[in-house]
């Protein structure tokens, strides 16, 4: 296997304000754009040619990754003029593929952090002579996902929409967002219109008698679609719970990038990242959080499971838990922000304006 398609065109609406100025795959996780981790893992599995299917803020990808040589890859870019869905995006880049009709093409969703054994998925695809092979993972609560039941040999039996009742939960296996397609199957996807592989391509292939094979892989898997999940994924990369050859440093409790400054008595734990040019002042405590480039954390601030955007500022003694602060925003001193709070880019919260406890 030598080539892959990475689907990186989504708008990342669930991640806003992180994605106001930055496409989701380019939001930093463990010190580098998340896409870097996917590219590095694909390269480690033997992939050398990758086509990026871009759409939203497409212009930022190529200036950063160029032709891919720095990662040992050859990267090409194809931009959708109008969003085409997962299947439409795959079909839209088909002309850039080099594989023969019977050869395998690896396809990744651009927002999944996984420890998947890529070589094993391709090996199973070839040994079973499947038309499409899917990475499946088991989840404790499958109600938020489409279900993918298989027979005893791993052959896919159906694609079921998100279950609405307990009786509809017939399996705990879900589509984990990585596939291997026989090259000729890609050419059967309709061209020039939106197509969903989950709702249209896969069910239609099953109905036509195609062989779809599932491989259940129980390694690390996380959908980074929400701010809380993204922050957790970054921390897990730093802690070494999620594998990636692209983490720019040794795994441990914290990752401090070059030119970042951290006061001697500041406490950073839980997989915290401090980006280039950022500053964490004396007495600050930061757990499991991401501080992006140029951000300032003032003395005594306490930040937990949060993401602080580029050039943002968190004031003295502010307490942030499970929050996202957009690029350039300011949270004044003595504010308290709790789970789910999102402060938009360049917004300013005056000192002591938001609290959940007394100011005494």
């Amino acid at each position: 296997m030598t080539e892959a398609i990475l689907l990186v065109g989504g708008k990342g609406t669930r991640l806003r304000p992180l994605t106001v100025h930055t496409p989701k795959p380019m939001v930093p996780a463990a010190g580098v754009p998340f896409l870097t981790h996917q590219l590095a893992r694909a390269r480690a599995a033997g992939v050398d040619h990758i086509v990026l299917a871009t759409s939203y803020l497409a212009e930022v990808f190529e200036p950063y990754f160029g032709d891919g040589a720095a990662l040992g890859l050859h990267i090409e870019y194809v931009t959708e003029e109008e969003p085409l869905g997962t299947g439409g995006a795959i079909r839209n880049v088909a002309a850039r593929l080099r594989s023969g009709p019977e050869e395998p093409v690896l396809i990744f969703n651009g927002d999944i952090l996984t420890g998947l054994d890529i070589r094993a998925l391709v090996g199973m695809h070839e040994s079973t002579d499947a038309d499409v092979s899917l990475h499946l993972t088991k989840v404790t609560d499958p109600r938020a996902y489409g279900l993918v039941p298989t027979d005893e040999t791993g052959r896919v039996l159906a694609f079921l929409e998100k279950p609405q009742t307990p009786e509809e939960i017939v399996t705990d296996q879900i589509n984990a967002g990585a596939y291997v397609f026989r090259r000729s199957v890609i050419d059967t996807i309709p061209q020039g219109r939106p197509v969903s592989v989950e709702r249209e391509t896969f069910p239609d292939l099953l109905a036509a008698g195609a062989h779809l094979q599932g491989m259940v892989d129980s390694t690390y898997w996380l959908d980074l679609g929400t701010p809380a999940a993204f922050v957790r994924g970054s921390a897990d990369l730093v802690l070494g719970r999620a594998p990636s050859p692209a983490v720019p440093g040794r795994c441990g409790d914290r990752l401090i990038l070059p030119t970042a400054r951290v006061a001697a008595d500041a406490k950073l734990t839980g997989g915290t990242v401090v980006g280039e040019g950022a500053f964490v002042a004396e007495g600050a405590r930061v757990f499991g959080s991401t501080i992006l480039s140029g951000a300032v954390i003032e003395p005594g601030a306490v930040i937990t499971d949060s993401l602080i955007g580029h050039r943002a500022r968190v004031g003295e003694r502010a307490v942030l838990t499970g929050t996202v602060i957009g690029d350039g925003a300011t949270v004044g001193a003595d504010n308290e922000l709790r789970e789910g709070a999102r402060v938009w880019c360049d917004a300013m919260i005056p000192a002591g304006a938001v609290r959940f406890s007394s100011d005494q």
Side-chain angles (χ1 to χ4, degrees):
M1 179 193 58
T2 61
E3 65 182 347
I5 298 169
L6 264 168
L7 304 175
V8 294
K11 291 185 176 181
T13 52
R14 291 184 296 159
L15 279 178
R16 289 172 72 87
L18 297 179
T19 51
V20 169
H21 304 302
T22 307
K24 178 168 52 177
M26 296 298 287
V27 177
V32 296
F34 173 67
L35 180 55
T36 309
H37 299 290
Q38 291 186 306
L39 293 172
R41 293 202 71 243
R43 181 68 190 98
V47 175
D48 60 16
H49 178 226
I50 292 184
V51 185
L52 295 186
T54 67
S55 179
Y56 177 66
L57 297 176
E59 66 275 8
V60 309
F61 292 94
E62 190 166 2
Y64 188 91
F65 292 107
D67 63 3
L71 291 169
L73 292 163
H74 176 61
I75 298 177
E76 295 188 67
Y77 305 84
V78 177
T79 301
E80 302 164 29
E81 299 306 320
E82 297 291 335
L84 294 171
T86 47
I90 293 167
R91 183 67 179 88
N92 192 50
V93 307
R96 300 293 184 93
L97 299 174
R98 304 167 179 171
S99 302
E102 299 305 305
E103 292 183 308
V105 177
L106 182 68
I107 299 171
F108 283 121
N109 281 343
D111 54 3
I112 301 297
L113 178 59
T114 176
L116 168 69
D117 186 335
I118 297 170
R119 291 182 187 272
L121 180 65
V122 177
M124 182 207 68
H125 175 82
E126 293 179 326
S127 66
T128 59
D129 196 31
D131 294 301
V132 178
S133 296
L134 298 89
H135 171 208
L136 307 179
T137 192
K138 293 178 180 288
V139 294
T140 304
D141 183 0
R143 289 176 297 176
Y145 305 95
L147 309 183
V148 187
T150 55
D151 68 14
E152 63 277 1
T153 70
R155 189 158 183 154
V156 174
L157 299 174
F159 290 89
L160 307 175
E161 288 299 314
K162 296 175 183 177
Q164 303 299 312
T165 66
E167 292 74 29
E168 291 177 318
I169 302 176
V170 298
T171 181
D172 58 358
Q173 296 174 180
I174 66 164
N175 177 354
Y179 321 112
V180 182
F181 274 66
R182 190 192 303 270
R183 170 68 181 85
S184 58
V185 173
I186 292 175
D187 293 329
T188 68
I189 299 173
Q191 194 167 13
R193 69 169 176 84
V195 180
S196 165
V197 289
E198 300 87 354
R199 296 182 181 86
E200 182 175 345
T201 304
F202 292 156
D204 286 357
L205 285 169
L206 269 188
H211 178 182
L212 277 67
Q213 187 74 17
M215 185 182 86
V216 177
D217 183 287
S218 58
T219 56
Y220 184 99
W221 184 86
L222 185 64
D223 177 351
L224 300 185
T226 66
F230 199 96
V231 170
R232 191 170 112 220
S234 177
D236 285 347
L237 283 161
V238 174
L239 292 166
R241 294 171 180 165
S244 170
V247 176
R250 296 172 59 184
C251 291
D253 238 13
R254 63 187 192 173
L255 174 64
I256 303 172
L257 295 189
T259 73
R261 295 180 298 132
V262 177
D265 66 344
K267 186 176 182 181
L268 310 178
T269 57
T272 287
V273 182
V274 184
E276 299 264 5
F279 175 57
V280 180
E282 59 271 13
R285 289 179 286 152
V286 187
F287 177 85
S289 297
T290 295
I291 313 299
L292 295 185
S293 63
V296 174
I297 311 302
E298 295 186 0
V302 180
I303 300 173
T304 303
D305 298 337
S306 297
L307 192 147
I308 312 303
H310 301 283
R311 304 173 309 284
R313 178 177 289 268
V314 177
E316 295 184 48
R317 299 173 301 280
V319 178
L320 277 57
T321 302
T323 64
V324 175
I325 309 302
D327 298 342
T330 298
V331 178
D334 299 308
N335 280 290
E336 298 175 359
L337 301 178
R338 291 187 178 177
E339 285 85 354
R342 306 184 191 208
V343 178
W344 235 249
C345 300
D346 301 313
M348 180 172 182
I349 300 179
V354 180
R355 299 191 63 85
F356 287 84
S357 63
S358 167
D359 62 347
Q360 298 299 314

